[in-house]
Amino acid sequence: AQKITQTQPGMFVQEKEAVTLDCTYDTSDPSYGLFWYKQPSSGEMIFLIYQGSYDQQNATEGRYSLNFQKARKSANLVISASQLGDSAMYFCAMREGASNTGKLIFGQGTTLQVKP
Amino acid sequence: DAMVIQNPRYQVTQFGKPVTLSCSQTLNHNVMYWYQQKSSQAPKLLFHYYDKDFNNEADTPDNFQSRRPNTSFCFLDIRSPGLGDAAMYLCATSITPLDTPDNEQFFGPGTRLTVL
């Protein structure tokens, strides 16, 4: 069973507008972490934001915020004030606490294109 | 400033000819990971080292091996590359294998492998 689902293969957003990238997850582990990474065409994975399963507040990092809805098992990424440099592939990932390996399980990714 | 370095960035090999990809880190992290990312797909963990302890994923083909001679370096060996092994190979590091808020995985820029 797929553990991380990103249902939007591609998204467009106008420069300076906000955009939400969807992510749902599935786990029976009560302790887990959720991540968002940005992957530009160069290939490097750039860490954006982390949300722990026990965190009460939604994580924020600059223009990035994570809309964490635990009951719905969703962890959507919100990018505010989009910039041309935000055009990239975005991956949602999960790390299960019980695995004790640190293994990241990735979704299929969403390609974001920011229009000028 | 480079923290996780991968060499080479691009590697071309012939079908069946052994190839070695290199990863080094300046972070002094205990855990080093190798992920395989095929075109337009999510990265998938092949194996990881926690200090000197090697941990193989159950579905990683025997064709893939790894060595970690010291804390800083980790190598990915593909004994007999097939056409299906063409992919981006991403190295990542973390302090521990546990899921804690400050324990993000830092990725290198990746090595894109072409098999002719």
Side-chain angles (χ1 to χ4, degrees):
Chain A
Q2 195 164 352
K3 293 202 169 190
I4 296 285
T5 303
Q6 294 180 251
T7 57
Q8 306 153 313
M11 290 280 286
F12 289 93
V13 65
Q14 204 69 34
E15 192 179 9
K16 300 181 185 176
E17 291 186 351
V19 63
T20 298
L21 306 184
D22 294 341
C23 173
T24 58
Y25 61 92
D26 184 30
T27 181
S28 56
D29 191 337
S31 177
Y32 53 90
L34 297 159
F35 298 77
W36 278 93
Y37 282 87
K38 173 184 177 181
Q39 188 178 41
S41 56
S42 57
E44 183 176 0
M45 283 284 191
I46 302 167
F47 167 76
L48 296 178
I49 198 165
Y50 168 87
Q51 179 86 42
S53 58
Y54 294 116
D55 293 343
Q56 297 294 319
Q57 305 228 342
N58 286 342
T60 60
E61 289 284 350
R63 294 187 298 112
Y64 305 108
S65 61
L66 200 151
N67 185 1
F68 181 45
Q69 300 194 30
K70 196 170 182 177
R72 295 185 180 182
K73 293 189 174 180
S74 75
N76 298 340
L77 176 70
V78 180
I79 305 175
S80 62
S82 298
Q83 302 171 356
L84 295 178
D86 294 335
S87 294
M89 179 80 98
Y90 288 80
F91 287 96
C92 179
M94 177 173 66
R95 181 172 62 192
E96 291 173 314
S99 75
N100 286 329
T101 65
K103 171 182 178 179
L104 289 176
I105 303 165
F106 287 87
Q108 290 299 104
T110 296
T111 301
L112 177 66
Q113 291 193 35
V114 181
K115 294 182 175 179
Chain B
D1 276 353
M3 295 185 288
V4 183
I5 304 156
Q6 290 189 245
N7 287 308
R9 295 292 309 277
Y10 300 91
Q11 176 74 56
V12 180
T13 191
Q14 290 181 332
F15 183 93
K17 185 175 180 182
V19 66
T20 295
L21 309 183
S22 168
C23 177
S24 64
Q25 53 133 340
T26 60
L27 298 162
N28 206 32
H29 281 176
N30 296 310
V31 193
M32 295 187 77
Y33 303 86
W34 280 104
Y35 290 86
Q36 179 193 59
Q37 185 182 20
K38 296 189 177 180
S39 182
S40 301
Q41 295 186 22
K44 184 173 173 298
L45 184 67
L46 293 172
F47 28 56
H48 77 277
Y49 271 96
Y50 182 16
D51 290 330
K52 295 182 180 180
D53 292 334
F54 177 71
N55 298 272
N56 202 27
E57 290 296 298
D59 54 357
T60 297
D62 293 339
N63 199 22
F64 292 86
Q65 307 277 318
S66 186
R67 296 170 283 133
R68 190 178 186 187
N70 53 54
T71 301
S72 301
F73 284 87
C74 195
F75 300 99
L76 169 61
D77 301 310
I78 309 177
R79 291 191 297 185
S80 182
L83 297 179
D85 297 327
M88 173 76 91
Y89 290 88
L90 295 161
C91 175
T93 74
S94 66
I95 301 171
T96 79
L98 302 178
D99 182 56
T100 55
D102 297 329
N103 191 31
E104 67 179 269
Q105 282 189 24
F106 290 85
F107 282 81
T111 294
R112 195 174 295 277
L113 178 69
T114 301
V115 181
L116 300 178

